Amino acid sequence: MPFISRRLRAALLVTASATLVAATLPSPVPLGIGDPLFPHLGNPGYDVRTYDIGLTYHGDNSKPLDAVTRIDARTTEPLDRINLDFTRGTVRSVEVNGLRADFAVTDEDLVIEPLGRLPAGVPLRITVRHTSDPGGDQDSGGWLRTADGLAMANQADAAHRVFPSNDHPADKAYFTFRVTAPKDLTVVANGLPAGTARHGADTTWTYRTEHPMATELAQVSIGRSTVLHRTGPHGLPVRDVVPTADRKRLEPRLSKTPAQLEWMEKQVGRYPFETYGLLVAANDTGFELETQTLSLFERSLFTGAGHPEWYLDSIMVHELAHQWFGDSVSPQSWSDLWLNEGHATWYEARYAEEHADKPLERRMREAYTRSDGWRAAGGPPARPDAPEPGQKISLFRPVVYDGSALILYALRQEIGASAFDRLERSWVRKHRDSNATTEDFVRLASRTAGRDLTSFLDGWLYGEKTPPMPGHPDWHSATPAAQR
Ligand SMILES: [Zn+2]
């Protein structure tokens, strides 16, 4: 039970700093909401409505930013203490409802002690003055240092390396970013611009989201960037953020987004947000990320040689599909991750089938062959193994990508293309701007098909072995041993 022992260890470690809080309470301990994969993420007892995050960037991406994070929340139970997730910064002061509050830092939690117990159901305004440090190791997520500034990559558990938060997708909130940077730099964040103000050598850029967002999907780009504007379906503002030096060479690729938006809308209905676009960051991340309204792409993916056009298109469609699946409809827990990646992979593969003559059936047959091996290596799609210690990103294994798109293929084989199509459309409509669980998906699939699909889907979601593929009795999954 590594988590328990870690908590106990942390509780012992903080005894020294516990003199900061009143003697009547036990030592502060890090809390979580019991996510099966990240038990220490999120915190009980309150619901965040808005984050207002002020950041001051001093022009050097290895130096801490000065920050003020203001959180408007509501208590959902009586609280003696408020835990926020936060690490990688120094906390200077905390106020709760306008009054100075004591605090302690323990493990990756900032534990705040308001003056007296807070009842359930009351508004809570927490103001934290702190630094936000992009220095140190780059592998655990949070700030991403680029050649010309900073971007963010917070999935799955790294938003609290940037700002104090209730860092779990179960608690979505509206965001305002106010970022001050030297005036020759450009700042873009999730949502739409809400003004800029020049003061001396600096500019403050404000952005606001029109829809609730999970902390893991926050994005702030600071750099020598150009913002390119175009228009998507129904006048949707599309804006891309690119290194200024690359704007011309990237244009042919970026100009594909409006048609991809149209294609996705044809599959599942209206695009769920106020804007979309690509952030091309000068950093070799090795991954792309569906940050809400502004997906993060590594520059080298587009500027390096060797990637065929269809492959780049399908990666763009993958991140775009996430805006519906994963962003607008967020997982209730991290074990529901297959709902994000399975769907994004599904539309990526469907797009390649329609536009590049890459048959879906061939890809699914190949996935089927490897599926038992993927399940052995990473657990079943809807009950994945925890990430390797110190490698949170290892949660993103093949079983949640093609191994989970395979579930959607099996379901379509079972209920037919027209019921499947209706299911996908009602899924994103019903759970828009909200959270959903694997059980919600099974329930909606059953309702849409007009029969109980629980036992059919059970093996696909939770089985150690891959169930038989409807319509393809000749498909076989190689034994994990044979795949090594
Ligand atoms: Zn993805």
Side-chain angles (χ1 to χ4, degrees):
M1 304 297 280
F3 174 59
I4 303 289
S5 63
R6 208 176 92 179
R7 282 178 58 163
L8 287 176
R9 201 166 58 237
L12 294 172
L13 280 173
V14 296
T15 313
S17 58
T19 46
L20 278 170
V21 299
T24 48
L25 291 171
S27 297
V29 288
L31 300 174
I33 57 167
D35 186 282
L37 300 175
F38 297 98
H40 56 287
L41 272 193
N43 299 282
Y46 61 93
D47 174 24
V48 177
R49 303 291 169 91
T50 63
Y51 291 93
D52 187 311
I53 300 173
L55 296 162
T56 302
Y57 177 65
H58 302 291
D60 178 346
N61 66 7
S62 64
K63 295 260 165 64
L65 288 76
D66 291 305
V68 181
T69 297
R70 201 175 70 219
I71 299 173
D72 280 313
R74 205 167 183 88
T75 57
T76 55
E77 56 188 69
L79 286 177
D80 291 313
R81 288 195 175 118
I82 306 153
N83 279 50
L84 294 172
D85 300 304
F86 186 54
T87 188
R88 285 277 185 91
T90 305
V91 178
R92 292 176 172 142
S93 70
V94 179
E95 283 176 19
V96 175
N97 295 337
L99 300 171
R100 271 286 177 126
D102 286 333
F103 61 91
V105 174
T106 156
D107 198 6
E108 297 195 0
D109 273 25
L110 167 62
V111 185
I112 301 165
E113 186 166 346
L115 287 174
R117 163 175 276 213
L118 297 161
V122 298
L124 196 56
R125 168 166 289 192
I126 307 165
T127 305
V128 184
R129 285 169 210 285
H130 62 100
T131 62
S132 179
D133 191 356
D137 94 276
Q138 286 276 287
D139 298 332
S140 41
W143 284 119
L144 196 72
R145 294 197 299 273
T146 61
D148 56 336
L150 291 169
M152 280 183 202
N154 295 334
Q155 196 177 66
D157 66 336
H160 70 281
R161 293 171 188 279
V162 176
F163 55 93
S165 51
N166 196 24
D167 192 9
H168 192 281
D171 190 2
K172 295 167 74 160
Y174 293 86
F175 280 72
T176 299
F177 297 94
R178 304 170 201 275
V179 184
T180 301
K183 63 178 178 351
D184 54 331
L185 299 179
T186 298
V187 176
V188 185
N190 314 91
L192 291 171
T196 55
R198 179 72 67 85
H199 27 91
D202 292 332
T203 304
T204 299
W205 307 68
T206 303
Y207 289 84
R208 206 163 274 140
T209 69
E210 284 185 4
H211 295 264
M213 179 171 81
T215 48
E216 52 127 354
L217 301 172
Q219 184 58 272
V220 171
S221 160
I222 307 172
R224 296 185 191 285
S225 327
T226 294
V227 184
L228 303 169
H229 297 277
R230 62 193 93 234
T231 305
H234 333 285
L236 180 79
V238 174
R239 53 96 200 266
D240 300 303
V241 183
V242 302
T244 298
D246 298 313
R247 59 177 294 181
K248 283 218 168 61
R249 70 194 289 204
L250 290 171
E251 179 56 27
R253 179 114 304 278
L254 300 171
S255 66
K256 297 198 164 189
T257 295
Q260 293 177 347
L261 274 158
E262 266 172 47
W263 185 82
M264 270 306 296
E265 288 201 345
K266 219 169 83 196
Q267 315 307 313
V268 291
R270 276 280 178 123
Y271 176 74
F273 298 125
E274 61 272 35
T275 182
Y276 185 65
L278 273 60
L279 162 60
V280 181
N283 176 306
D284 293 321
T285 49
F287 59 82
E288 327 313 317
L289 183 61
E290 65 271 21
T291 41
Q292 189 161 312
T293 70
L294 183 60
S295 290
L296 172 71
F297 285 76
E298 52 185 335
R299 176 182 172 278
S300 56
L301 181 76
F302 296 144
T303 56
H307 297 306
E309 287 289 304
W310 74 266
Y311 174 77
L312 297 176
D313 288 344
S314 63
I315 293 185
M316 282 173 69
V317 170
H318 179 107
E319 304 310 331
L320 176 61
H322 270 311
Q323 303 297 315
W324 285 262
F325 300 94
D327 292 10
S328 177
V329 184
S330 295
Q332 181 66 28
S333 85
W334 280 110
S335 344
D336 301 313
L337 176 63
W338 79 273
L339 286 166
N340 299 13
E341 298 305 343
H343 279 105
T345 305
W346 174 256
Y347 289 102
E348 164 199 329
R350 291 258 296 89
Y351 187 89
E353 175 175 61
E354 277 189 29
H355 295 83
D357 197 22
K358 305 276 171 200
L360 177 73
E361 189 181 308
R362 195 198 298 159
R363 180 161 172 175
M364 290 298 105
R365 185 182 186 134
E366 166 68 15
Y368 194 91
T369 308
R370 306 179 65 178
S371 177
D372 277 2
W374 288 338
R375 285 170 186 243
R383 198 176 287 137
D385 295 344
E388 313 297 332
Q391 296 182 328
K392 304 291 177 54
I393 202 119
S394 69
L395 176 62
F396 296 84
R397 303 178 180 103
V399 73
V400 300
Y401 292 90
D402 283 62
S404 294
L406 204 52
I407 302 172
L408 302 176
Y409 184 78
L411 182 60
R412 197 180 71 166
Q413 291 285 100
E414 179 73 10
I415 67 177
S418 127
F420 181 80
D421 196 56
R422 276 183 282 125
L423 164 63
E424 293 287 274
R425 288 168 181 276
S426 34
W427 176 253
V428 295
R429 200 171 50 237
K430 184 176 160 67
H431 298 291
R432 185 180 176 156
D433 285 337
S434 183
N435 294 85
T437 64
T438 300
E439 293 70 36
D440 290 328
F441 188 77
V442 175
R443 213 171 299 127
L444 189 62
S446 300
R447 198 179 311 148
T448 309
R451 63 190 166 95
D452 189 358
L453 291 164
T454 311
S455 60
F456 172 76
L457 283 169
D458 199 63
W460 283 99
L461 294 164
Y462 304 110
E464 235 174 80
K465 298 277 177 204
T466 316
M469 180 60 78
H472 294 289
D474 56 320
W475 286 14
H476 293 288
S477 203
T479 63
Q483 292 186 39
R484 274 192 212 112

